[in-house]
Amino acid sequence: MRPSGRQPDQPREITLTREYTRHAEGSVLVEFGDTRVLCNASVEAGVPRWLRGKNQGWVTAEYGMLPRATHTRGGREAARGKQGGRTLEIQRLIGRSLRAAVNLKRLGEFTITVDCDVIQADGGTRTASITGGCVALIDAIRYLQRKKLIQQDPFKQLVSSVSVGIFRGTPVVDLDYPEDSGADTDMNVVMTEGGGLIEVQGTAEAGEFTRAELNAMLDLAEGAGRQLFEHQREALGMRG
Amino acid sequence: MRPSGRQPDQPREITLTREYTRHAEGSVLVEFGDTRVLCNASVEAGVPRWLRGKNQGWVTAEYGMLPRATHTRGGREAARGKQGGRTLEIQRLIGRSLRAAVNLKRLGEFTITVDCDVIQADGGTRTASITGGCVALIDAIRYLQRKKLIQQDPFKQLVSSVSVGIFRGTPVVDLDYPEDSGADTDMNVVMTEGGGLIEVQGTAEAGEFTRAELNAMLDLAEGAGRQLFEHQREALGMRG
Amino acid sequence: MRPSGRQPDQPREITLTREYTRHAEGSVLVEFGDTRVLCNASVEAGVPRWLRGKNQGWVTAEYGMLPRATHTRGGREAARGKQGGRTLEIQRLIGRSLRAAVNLKRLGEFTITVDCDVIQADGGTRTASITGGCVALIDAIRYLQRKKLIQQDPFKQLVSSVSVGIFRGTPVVDLDYPEDSGADTDMNVVMTEGGGLIEVQGTAEAGEFTRAELNAMLDLAEGAGRQLFEHQREALGMRG
Amino acid sequence: MRPSGRQPDQPREITLTREYTRHAEGSVLVEFGDTRVLCNASVEAGVPRWLRGKNQGWVTAEYGMLPRATHTRGGREAARGKQGGRTLEIQRLIGRSLRAAVNLKRLGEFTITVDCDVIQADGGTRTASITGGCVALIDAIRYLQRKKLIQQDPFKQLVSSVSVGIFRGTPVVDLDYPEDSGADTDMNVVMTEGGGLIEVQGTAEAGEFTRAELNAMLDLAEGAGRQLFEHQREALGMRG
Amino acid sequence: MRPSGRQPDQPREITLTREYTRHAEGSVLVEFGDTRVLCNASVEAGVPRWLRGKNQGWVTAEYGMLPRATHTRGGREAARGKQGGRTLEIQRLIGRSLRAAVNLKRLGEFTITVDCDVIQADGGTRTASITGGCVALIDAIRYLQRKKLIQQDPFKQLVSSVSVGIFRGTPVVDLDYPEDSGADTDMNVVMTEGGGLIEVQGTAEAGEFTRAELNAMLDLAEGAGRQLFEHQREALGMRG
Amino acid sequence: MRPSGRQPDQPREITLTREYTRHAEGSVLVEFGDTRVLCNASVEAGVPRWLRGKNQGWVTAEYGMLPRATHTRGGREAARGKQGGRTLEIQRLIGRSLRAAVNLKRLGEFTITVDCDVIQADGGTRTASITGGCVALIDAIRYLQRKKLIQQDPFKQLVSSVSVGIFRGTPVVDLDYPEDSGADTDMNVVMTEGGGLIEVQGTAEAGEFTRAELNAMLDLAEGAGRQLFEHQREALGMRG
């Protein structure tokens, strides 16, 4: 039995609120249950130095957590003077995942930075960031098209993400904090609408996991993915 | 004429939403028009080293701005590896101001940290932070009382803050970003309900200002202060 | 009664020694009683990146304290790896204040950096820095004129600064350390010769202050200002 | 055809040289072909603050690359003043993986730090680090037993790691640099002797990968794992 | 011929002004010609962690240069966020040298930190720092004795330092900046009154130097040393 | 009697292994007994900003120690976020010494960075770094010549280095760690084949040293230098 009373294959309630703030070219508040992440996509002319003159754009992500997004207050990374390893690892994952949604060659020499800032954390902040960040990214792309700053459509495919895990021996999807902190195995899956895999990151927190468990978890992720893509399409006014 | 069409003595619409997030002992979203700041007050047992054994508590504040709270994206301070001078200056001001609301001797050996994170900026983020932070601080104090962690009531007085300035020759209150960036003089005033002054920080951005202008600005601040205290009392269910 | 035996409206003995060191284009040792600050103004060709091509100059300030300028040794900021919030706040204030002395449009594409390094501290280091820094700044401007590097005269007006406060219930001017550490209210005022205000930063250290007290403090600042400008003019060989 | 001429399921030549340096309690040079990593395991009394009094030990890892371990010189992280995101991500992975080899409860209040420093890089530095680090870790445990510093045997199981990927459409094992930089999909697998999975981190570098490809890659990893465990057992003088 | 017109064996005019600032237990302004360094010795109870319980004291030094001590303005190390290699090298040298003046066993568990801050630089700042720092250190020791905080006399011997070099083929003593920047070889010598050597650091800036040149330089240092010790004794009111 | 049983004038066994790693233009493992340092020389086009357009090249060095190169584990400088003073001091010495081997005017606008990373430390890491780094540097120069990237030969002379000291009253050469940590005086000497001195850095660790001792130590260094140059020539296939 899950602490939340959810079925093993039942993700939390998911909402995607576009235009959540006013300045960003794409601004989405994503909620996976009590996990709330503000995903702001910013368009800037130019690309990083190592891409200059290559006639392509760039998509990157940054991740942060407000100090009291969590049960107990965490130190402010800006005050400590550096981003922690967990933060850097997560923002690298978000960036890689979001780049799978875009044809960088068609983006022109623009950089889109997707800032994912966790307002409230209850497990699954990185998967929510990818799912919401993809919507913000598409809004930023639409902005570029609307302003006629790019001619071609760099959008390639929707990308979404969900966590799966083995909790008290049972494979479950979209772990909240009580499950996440007690799970034997935790896996984050980044997927495309067509059923393809972009990232699979599974970790045995205690013991190990089997190939069979891995497959059960991937099945759950696939099922939840269908719902996530539906949410994304609906938010963006896309047809399935 | 003000860009927003407001009267010189008319502050923006102000809202204070308590219990905005779930984990913090006090969590208030404060809005001064389009300026939105999340103020989370966190209670922690213990005091900074230099206060140990002095039989008193401590109240401090930290301030941050989400990278795309502003018109153009600002670098993430955590990524740059340090907080800028403006950030440090503002959080020192917020901390000093909020300590005026509390009798630290009655707080016991607890530290309350008020994190003020700007979700969307449109001028006046520091005054909104103080005004909203005070409400979050009181919620944190009530938490300590409810949990019977302290016996006495450390609450001393409400503290609120508003900006005033000289915009195109006219004294105005609660400047939004278009006014703030074009004002000749900008002043932040921190006040108590009884009409006392906690902080007055006036800066001539161009030219200088006279004693008469200073007084006109303080009159405006006093008027707006009455409204701010009314908002705070209403949010907290206090009588005037 | 003031610990020093001074009258409430009596500033400390003030001296301004020009050409204190040999390399800087302007080098002034300013003494407000036992507070001694070395103000070195350095001329460098070019302006910060964000001002390039705008056909104007820039004036900025940096502030530091020798580790044993104070009663007990403070850590060296260079060794700690960052400047503290107080340092940054003060150097921002000095920079803003000194820019009020100069017409940046007439400065050409030069940057003048005024380094204010506290050799010995006894209260009022920031006000001494502004008062002495203004003299060093003018020497640097004269250097530019003497070398015919600029054609027009960028000097606009003298700027000086003094602290005022409420000490044991009485408004006093130019607080030394024993007063400063015990004052109920502390205010730094930056003024022009014409009686205008550039900066007013008042802080209630304990309790609050009234409009009447604010006015009494500003009167004291104005009185001391007249003496400071006289010292500056005398040091610079200017007529009143 | 692989650039190296290897079969798809053929790992590079693997060597594990124990006692490579003199001071560390465990010191192993691991070579996966031209990739050479020095893994030094250091025993220190005590545990991190957050584990004190919990009657258990700790195993952690740090990872670094000599500046010229790679084709072109990379900046020295110590000179840049921080470890990059890739470094932190890798050392977190190594640490988690090695903890799976140990029963921390039986380790006593000791910390074993496994430093993995890449002398020469040719792809697969993190998998080599885990494979060699496990041997160094066991030598450090044996040191503790030999010195009678612990009574029980904290060794739980061997852990090894190998990379797999899809290179030009074909699943291959143990990618060297030319393959790694051109692969469509890259996956690092951390395994136990019993066939269990500790970590699975798969990334689509271009496009996406399918469940079938994932399974093919895991089969390859399993096969190479058998060889890696054989190398570890042989190096350590253990029976299979 | 030396640019200054001095004889090869003629040091610059040397002055040692004690009690230069008010707060430090020892405060000496040392001048070697136009090189001016403020040496403040601070007494603090306690010793660094690694010396605790060893029943001895510690003497250390820190070195800094005011940004405009030099011909062109150098960046402020506190603003850059770290001390440069030259700074660290010099302060390590000063610390080692000053420890030779003291019997640490007799100092009790006190730390004396000698801050050497260069007010004006004209070559030889490190040798001036050692020479002046020694006098400040002795004043700090006398303070400890006067306050009866220590029973025994930890003073061991005077230590002084001077630079020597080969300038245009001729060995010269106490190089000023024009010589220092053009010298073929530069050597700093730290000496005791009894003729012993504490530190010898010779560097060929161009080409190399011979044993004969080394000896000629050491002879010069010895000669200048006699004068330096005389200055120190006179400043301190000691007999030769 | 030396702990190692060596004669006072007997250096440890010295080996220089070229092409130790594969990517660097010069890669030498140098061993002075149990001290092992990997010296990698990297060629990069371009020179530091302050040398641009001066039509010359640059040679610099960086130094690091693997965390467990020593008896007890030292913290990783990259993790601590800065290089220590000892590290910076050593790498500045290595850089200056190696520049004496090269005619920078003939190097073209190339920078050669010699990374000296200590794999195992047993005293004398800086002297081994210079001796081995010189060989790596020459290999990098030969690479530039072989690739016809430079026309002239920038090689000037071999440079080598050895430590000498006074151990239990006796001058000895090439101190290992037990001697180094117990020596009264420690001196590092950098020499040229022709008998010239590049650097002499002598430090009295306890007491002081005399001119006679200095000379005895230099004699020993000269003797060992002859052997070091022989090793370098042999490794490089040069005639004596």
Side-chain angles (χ1 to χ4, degrees):
Chain A
M1 200 55 186
R2 304 179 72 172
S4 60
R6 284 188 279 145
Q7 295 301 312
D9 64 350
Q10 184 186 351
R12 290 174 286 181
E13 191 174 350
I14 282 149
T15 67
L16 292 160
T17 308
R18 287 165 67 206
E19 299 183 17
Y20 187 74
T21 65
R22 191 178 96 169
H23 301 306
E25 284 73 31
S27 178
V28 171
L29 183 79
V30 57
E31 295 170 85
F32 277 28
D34 273 343
T35 288
R36 282 195 250 161
V37 184
L38 175 52
C39 305
N40 279 340
S42 297
V43 170
E44 287 164 300
V47 289
R49 178 183 301 268
W50 50 275
L51 276 181
R52 282 185 202 154
K54 299 211 171 158
N55 202 27
Q56 68 158 96
W58 186 240
V59 170
T60 187
E62 293 195 5
Y63 172 92
M65 219 186 235
L66 294 195
R68 194 56 195 281
T70 44
H71 284 79
T72 56
R73 186 175 184 273
R76 190 176 286 268
E77 289 188 323
R80 275 203 302 255
K82 64 175 175 179
Q83 296 177 290
R86 181 185 168 276
T87 294
L88 293 170
E89 190 175 316
I90 292 176
Q91 73 185 19
R92 284 159 56 90
L93 169 65
I94 300 171
R96 281 198 311 272
S97 299
L98 295 182
R99 282 191 289 279
V102 179
N103 185 329
L104 295 172
K105 285 289 175 199
R106 294 188 177 174
L107 184 55
E109 291 219 332
F110 288 97
T111 295
I112 301 178
T113 303
V114 182
D115 285 291
C116 300
D117 285 278
V118 180
I119 305 294
Q120 189 171 275
D122 187 40
T125 63
R126 76 190 75 186
T127 56
S129 295
I130 293 166
T131 305
C134 182
V135 176
L137 172 61
I138 291 168
D139 269 335
I141 288 172
R142 289 179 177 178
Y143 165 89
L144 282 165
Q145 294 177 305
R146 209 163 54 238
K147 294 282 176 188
K148 306 214 180 302
L149 293 165
I150 54 176
Q151 323 309 330
Q152 292 178 295
D153 186 0
F155 173 65
K156 214 164 81 182
Q157 61 190 342
L158 287 175
V159 166
S160 74
S161 177
V162 74
S163 71
V164 282
I166 311 289
F167 180 70
R168 299 186 190 156
T170 305
V172 293
V173 75
D174 191 21
L175 289 73
D176 53 28
Y177 180 77
E179 289 172 329
D180 194 29
S181 55
D184 300 320
T185 294
D186 177 32
M187 188 159 82
N188 295 294
V189 183
V190 185
M191 305 157 283
T192 66
E193 273 184 285
L197 296 165
I198 298 295
E199 286 269 347
V200 172
Q201 294 200 345
T203 300
E205 301 288 348
E208 55 198 52
F209 56 102
T210 63
R211 291 282 291 273
E213 287 172 324
L214 175 67
N215 279 313
M217 290 190 284
L218 288 170
D219 289 343
L220 285 175
E222 213 171 298
R226 277 189 293 270
Q227 300 175 51
L228 290 169
F229 290 117
E230 184 54 37
H231 280 290
Q232 289 179 322
R233 283 189 302 259
E234 193 180 330
L236 286 159
M238 281 176 170
R239 303 195 157 229
Chain B
M1 200 54 183
R2 305 180 71 172
S4 61
R6 281 188 281 145
Q7 295 301 312
D9 65 349
Q10 186 186 352
R12 291 173 285 182
E13 191 173 348
I14 282 148
T15 66
L16 292 160
T17 308
R18 287 165 68 206
E19 297 182 18
Y20 188 73
T21 64
R22 189 179 97 167
H23 301 306
E25 284 74 31
S27 179
V28 171
L29 182 80
V30 55
E31 295 169 84
F32 277 28
D34 273 344
T35 288
R36 281 196 250 161
V37 184
L38 174 51
C39 305
N40 279 340
S42 297
V43 170
E44 287 164 299
V47 288
R49 178 184 302 267
W50 49 276
L51 275 182
R52 281 185 203 154
K54 299 211 171 159
N55 202 27
Q56 67 159 96
W58 187 240
V59 170
T60 187
E62 294 196 5
Y63 172 92
M65 222 186 232
L66 294 194
R68 194 56 194 283
T70 44
H71 284 80
T72 55
R73 186 174 184 274
R76 190 175 286 267
E77 290 188 325
R80 274 202 303 254
K82 65 175 175 180
Q83 296 176 290
R86 180 185 169 277
T87 294
L88 292 170
E89 189 175 316
I90 290 176
Q91 74 187 18
R92 283 160 56 90
L93 169 65
I94 301 171
R96 281 198 310 272
S97 300
L98 295 182
R99 282 191 287 279
V102 179
N103 185 331
L104 296 172
K105 285 288 176 198
R106 294 188 178 175
L107 184 53
E109 292 220 330
F110 288 97
T111 295
I112 301 178
T113 303
V114 182
D115 286 289
C116 300
D117 284 277
V118 180
I119 305 295
Q120 188 172 275
D122 187 39
T125 62
R126 77 190 76 185
T127 56
S129 295
I130 292 165
T131 305
C134 182
V135 176
L137 172 61
I138 291 168
D139 269 336
I141 288 172
R142 289 179 178 179
Y143 165 88
L144 281 165
Q145 294 178 305
R146 210 163 53 238
K147 294 283 177 187
K148 305 214 181 303
L149 293 164
I150 54 175
Q151 323 309 330
Q152 293 179 294
D153 187 359
F155 173 65
K156 213 163 83 181
Q157 61 189 341
L158 288 174
V159 166
S160 74
S161 178
V162 74
S163 72
V164 281
I166 311 288
F167 179 70
R168 299 186 190 157
T170 304
V172 294
V173 74
D174 191 21
L175 289 72
D176 53 26
Y177 179 77
E179 289 171 330
D180 194 30
S181 55
D184 300 321
T185 295
D186 178 32
M187 188 158 82
N188 295 295
V189 183
V190 185
M191 304 159 284
T192 65
E193 272 185 285
L197 296 165
I198 299 295
E199 285 267 347
V200 171
Q201 294 200 344
T203 299
E205 302 287 348
E208 56 197 53
F209 56 102
T210 63
R211 292 281 292 273
E213 286 172 324
L214 175 67
N215 279 312
M217 289 190 286
L218 287 170
D219 289 344
L220 284 175
E222 212 171 299
R226 277 189 293 271
Q227 298 175 52
L228 291 168
F229 290 117
E230 185 54 37
H231 280 290
Q232 289 179 323
R233 281 190 302 260
E234 194 179 331
L236 287 159
M238 280 176 171
R239 305 196 155 224
Chain C
M1 201 56 184
R2 306 179 72 171
S4 61
R6 282 187 280 146
Q7 294 302 312
D9 65 349
Q10 186 186 351
R12 291 174 284 183
E13 190 173 349
I14 282 149
T15 66
L16 292 160
T17 309
R18 287 165 68 205
E19 300 184 16
Y20 188 74
T21 64
R22 186 179 101 168
H23 301 305
E25 284 74 30
S27 179
V28 171
L29 182 79
V30 56
E31 295 169 84
F32 277 28
D34 273 343
T35 288
R36 282 195 249 161
V37 184
L38 174 51
C39 306
N40 279 341
S42 296
V43 170
E44 287 164 300
V47 288
R49 177 184 302 268
W50 50 274
L51 276 180
R52 283 187 202 153
K54 299 212 171 159
N55 203 26
Q56 67 159 96
W58 187 239
V59 170
T60 187
E62 293 195 6
Y63 172 91
M65 220 186 235
L66 295 194
R68 193 57 194 281
T70 44
H71 285 79
T72 55
R73 187 174 183 273
R76 191 176 285 267
E77 289 188 324
R80 274 203 302 254
K82 65 175 175 180
Q83 295 177 291
R86 180 185 169 277
T87 294
L88 293 170
E89 190 175 314
I90 291 175
Q91 73 187 20
R92 283 159 58 88
L93 170 65
I94 301 171
R96 280 198 311 272
S97 300
L98 295 181
R99 282 191 288 278
V102 178
N103 185 330
L104 296 172
K105 286 287 174 200
R106 295 187 176 175
L107 184 53
E109 291 219 332
F110 288 98
T111 294
I112 301 178
T113 303
V114 182
D115 286 290
C116 300
D117 284 278
V118 180
I119 305 295
Q120 188 171 276
D122 187 39
T125 62
R126 76 189 77 187
T127 56
S129 294
I130 292 166
T131 305
C134 181
V135 176
L137 172 61
I138 291 168
D139 269 335
I141 288 172
R142 288 179 177 179
Y143 165 88
L144 282 165
Q145 294 178 306
R146 209 163 54 236
K147 294 283 177 188
K148 305 217 181 300
L149 293 164
I150 54 176
Q151 321 311 330
Q152 292 179 294
D153 186 358
F155 173 66
K156 214 164 80 181
Q157 62 190 340
L158 288 174
V159 166
S160 74
S161 179
V162 74
S163 71
V164 281
I166 311 288
F167 180 70
R168 298 186 190 156
T170 304
V172 295
V173 75
D174 191 20
L175 289 72
D176 54 26
Y177 179 77
E179 289 173 330
D180 194 29
S181 54
D184 300 320
T185 294
D186 177 32
M187 190 158 81
N188 295 295
V189 183
V190 185
M191 305 157 283
T192 65
E193 273 185 286
L197 297 165
I198 298 295
E199 287 267 347
V200 171
Q201 294 199 345
T203 300
E205 301 288 347
E208 55 197 51
F209 57 102
T210 63
R211 293 279 294 272
E213 287 172 323
L214 176 67
N215 278 312
M217 289 189 285
L218 287 169
D219 288 343
L220 285 175
E222 213 172 297
R226 277 188 293 270
Q227 298 175 51
L228 291 168
F229 290 117
E230 184 54 38
H231 280 290
Q232 289 179 321
R233 283 189 302 259
E234 194 179 331
L236 287 158
M238 282 176 170
R239 302 195 158 228
Chain D
M1 201 55 184
R2 305 179 71 171
S4 60
R6 283 187 280 145
Q7 295 302 310
D9 65 349
Q10 185 186 352
R12 291 174 284 183
E13 190 174 352
I14 282 150
T15 66
L16 292 160
T17 308
R18 285 164 69 205
E19 299 183 17
Y20 188 73
T21 64
R22 189 180 98 168
H23 301 306
E25 284 74 30
S27 179
V28 171
L29 183 79
V30 55
E31 295 170 83
F32 276 29
D34 273 343
T35 287
R36 281 195 250 161
V37 185
L38 174 52
C39 306
N40 278 341
S42 297
V43 170
E44 286 164 301
V47 287
R49 179 184 300 269
W50 49 275
L51 275 182
R52 282 187 201 152
K54 298 210 172 160
N55 203 27
Q56 67 159 95
W58 187 238
V59 169
T60 186
E62 294 195 4
Y63 172 92
M65 221 185 232
L66 294 194
R68 195 58 194 282
T70 44
H71 285 80
T72 56
R73 186 175 183 272
R76 190 176 287 267
E77 290 188 323
R80 275 204 303 255
K82 63 175 176 180
Q83 295 177 292
R86 181 185 169 277
T87 295
L88 292 171
E89 190 175 314
I90 292 175
Q91 73 187 19
R92 284 159 56 89
L93 169 65
I94 301 171
R96 279 199 311 272
S97 300
L98 295 182
R99 281 192 289 279
V102 179
N103 185 331
L104 296 172
K105 286 288 175 198
R106 294 189 178 173
L107 184 54
E109 292 220 331
F110 288 97
T111 295
I112 301 178
T113 303
V114 181
D115 286 290
C116 299
D117 284 277
V118 180
I119 305 296
Q120 189 172 274
D122 187 38
T125 63
R126 77 191 76 185
T127 55
S129 295
I130 292 166
T131 306
C134 182
V135 176
L137 172 62
I138 291 168
D139 269 335
I141 287 172
R142 289 179 177 179
Y143 165 87
L144 282 165
Q145 294 177 305
R146 208 163 56 238
K147 293 283 177 186
K148 305 214 182 301
L149 293 164
I150 53 175
Q151 323 311 330
Q152 293 177 293
D153 186 0
F155 173 65
K156 214 164 81 182
Q157 60 190 341
L158 287 174
V159 167
S160 74
S161 179
V162 75
S163 72
V164 282
I166 311 289
F167 180 69
R168 298 187 191 156
T170 304
V172 294
V173 75
D174 190 21
L175 289 72
D176 54 26
Y177 181 76
E179 288 172 330
D180 193 30
S181 56
D184 300 321
T185 294
D186 177 32
M187 190 158 80
N188 295 295
V189 183
V190 185
M191 305 158 284
T192 66
E193 272 184 285
L197 296 164
I198 299 294
E199 287 267 347
V200 171
Q201 295 199 343
T203 300
E205 301 288 347
E208 56 198 51
F209 56 102
T210 63
R211 291 281 293 273
E213 287 173 324
L214 176 67
N215 279 313
M217 290 190 285
L218 287 169
D219 289 343
L220 285 175
E222 214 171 298
R226 277 189 292 271
Q227 298 175 52
L228 290 169
F229 290 116
E230 184 54 37
H231 280 290
Q232 288 179 322
R233 282 190 302 259
E234 192 179 331
L236 286 159
M238 282 177 171
R239 304 194 156 226
Chain E
M1 200 55 184
R2 306 179 71 171
S4 61
R6 282 188 280 144
Q7 295 302 311
D9 64 350
Q10 186 186 352
R12 290 173 287 182
E13 190 173 351
I14 283 150
T15 67
L16 292 160
T17 308
R18 286 165 68 206
E19 299 184 16
Y20 188 73
T21 64
R22 188 178 98 168
H23 301 306
E25 284 73 32
S27 179
V28 171
L29 183 79
V30 57
E31 295 170 85
F32 276 28
D34 273 344
T35 288
R36 280 194 251 161
V37 184
L38 174 52
C39 306
N40 279 340
S42 297
V43 170
E44 287 164 301
V47 288
R49 179 183 301 268
W50 50 275
L51 275 181
R52 283 187 202 152
K54 300 211 172 159
N55 203 25
Q56 68 159 95
W58 187 240
V59 169
T60 187
E62 294 196 5
Y63 172 92
M65 221 186 231
L66 294 194
R68 195 58 195 280
T70 44
H71 284 80
T72 56
R73 186 175 183 274
R76 190 175 288 267
E77 290 188 323
R80 275 204 302 255
K82 63 175 176 180
Q83 295 177 291
R86 181 186 170 276
T87 294
L88 292 171
E89 190 175 315
I90 291 175
Q91 74 187 18
R92 284 160 56 89
L93 170 65
I94 300 170
R96 280 198 310 272
S97 300
L98 295 182
R99 282 191 288 279
V102 179
N103 184 331
L104 295 172
K105 286 288 178 199
R106 294 189 178 174
L107 184 54
E109 292 220 331
F110 288 97
T111 295
I112 301 179
T113 303
V114 182
D115 285 290
C116 300
D117 285 277
V118 180
I119 305 295
Q120 190 172 273
D122 187 39
T125 62
R126 77 190 75 186
T127 55
S129 294
I130 292 165
T131 305
C134 182
V135 176
L137 172 62
I138 291 167
D139 269 335
I141 288 173
R142 289 179 177 179
Y143 165 88
L144 281 166
Q145 294 177 304
R146 208 163 54 239
K147 295 282 176 186
K148 305 212 181 303
L149 293 164
I150 53 175
Q151 322 311 329
Q152 292 178 293
D153 186 1
F155 173 65
K156 214 164 81 182
Q157 62 189 342
L158 287 175
V159 166
S160 73
S161 178
V162 74
S163 72
V164 282
I166 311 288
F167 180 70
R168 299 186 189 156
T170 305
V172 294
V173 74
D174 190 21
L175 288 73
D176 53 27
Y177 180 78
E179 289 172 330
D180 193 30
S181 55
D184 299 321
T185 294
D186 178 32
M187 188 159 81
N188 295 294
V189 183
V190 185
M191 307 157 281
T192 66
E193 272 185 285
L197 297 165
I198 299 293
E199 286 267 347
V200 171
Q201 295 199 343
T203 300
E205 300 289 346
E208 56 197 52
F209 56 102
T210 63
R211 292 280 294 271
E213 287 172 324
L214 176 67
N215 279 313
M217 290 190 285
L218 286 170
D219 289 343
L220 285 174
E222 213 171 299
R226 276 190 292 271
Q227 299 176 51
L228 290 168
F229 290 116
E230 185 54 36
H231 280 290
Q232 289 179 323
R233 282 190 302 259
E234 193 179 330
L236 286 159
M238 281 176 171
R239 304 197 156 224
Chain F
M1 200 57 183
R2 305 180 72 173
S4 61
R6 283 187 279 145
Q7 294 301 311
D9 65 349
Q10 185 186 351
R12 291 174 284 182
E13 189 173 351
I14 282 149
T15 67
L16 292 160
T17 309
R18 286 166 69 205
E19 299 184 16
Y20 188 74
T21 65
R22 187 179 101 168
H23 302 305
E25 284 74 30
S27 180
V28 171
L29 183 79
V30 57
E31 295 170 84
F32 277 29
D34 274 343
T35 288
R36 282 194 249 161
V37 184
L38 173 53
C39 306
N40 279 340
S42 297
V43 170
E44 287 163 301
V47 288
R49 177 183 301 268
W50 50 275
L51 275 182
R52 284 187 200 151
K54 299 210 171 159
N55 203 26
Q56 67 158 96
W58 187 240
V59 170
T60 187
E62 294 195 7
Y63 172 91
M65 221 185 233
L66 294 194
R68 195 57 196 280
T70 43
H71 284 80
T72 56
R73 187 175 183 271
R76 191 176 286 267
E77 290 188 323
R80 274 203 302 255
K82 63 176 177 181
Q83 294 176 291
R86 180 185 169 278
T87 294
L88 292 170
E89 190 175 316
I90 291 176
Q91 73 185 19
R92 284 159 57 88
L93 169 65
I94 300 171
R96 280 198 312 271
S97 300
L98 294 182
R99 282 191 288 278
V102 179
N103 185 331
L104 295 172
K105 286 288 175 200
R106 294 188 176 175
L107 183 54
E109 291 219 333
F110 288 97
T111 295
I112 301 178
T113 303
V114 182
D115 286 289
C116 300
D117 285 277
V118 180
I119 305 294
Q120 189 172 275
D122 188 39
T125 63
R126 77 191 74 187
T127 56
S129 295
I130 292 166
T131 305
C134 183
V135 176
L137 172 61
I138 291 167
D139 269 335
I141 288 172
R142 290 179 177 179
Y143 165 89
L144 281 165
Q145 294 177 305
R146 208 163 57 238
K147 295 280 174 187
K148 305 214 181 300
L149 292 164
I150 54 176
Q151 324 309 330
Q152 292 178 294
D153 186 0
F155 174 65
K156 215 164 79 182
Q157 62 191 340
L158 287 174
V159 166
S160 73
S161 179
V162 74
S163 71
V164 282
I166 311 289
F167 181 69
R168 298 188 191 156
T170 304
V172 294
V173 75
D174 191 20
L175 289 72
D176 53 26
Y177 180 77
E179 288 172 329
D180 193 30
S181 54
D184 300 322
T185 294
D186 178 31
M187 189 158 81
N188 294 295
V189 183
V190 185
M191 306 157 282
T192 66
E193 273 185 283
L197 297 165
I198 298 294
E199 286 268 347
V200 171
Q201 295 198 344
T203 300
E205 301 288 347
E208 56 198 51
F209 57 101
T210 63
R211 292 282 291 274
E213 287 173 323
L214 175 67
N215 279 314
M217 290 189 285
L218 288 169
D219 289 344
L220 284 175
E222 214 171 298
R226 277 188 292 270
Q227 298 175 54
L228 290 169
F229 290 116
E230 184 54 37
H231 281 289
Q232 290 179 323
R233 282 189 302 260
E234 192 178 332
L236 286 158
M238 283 176 169
R239 302 194 158 230

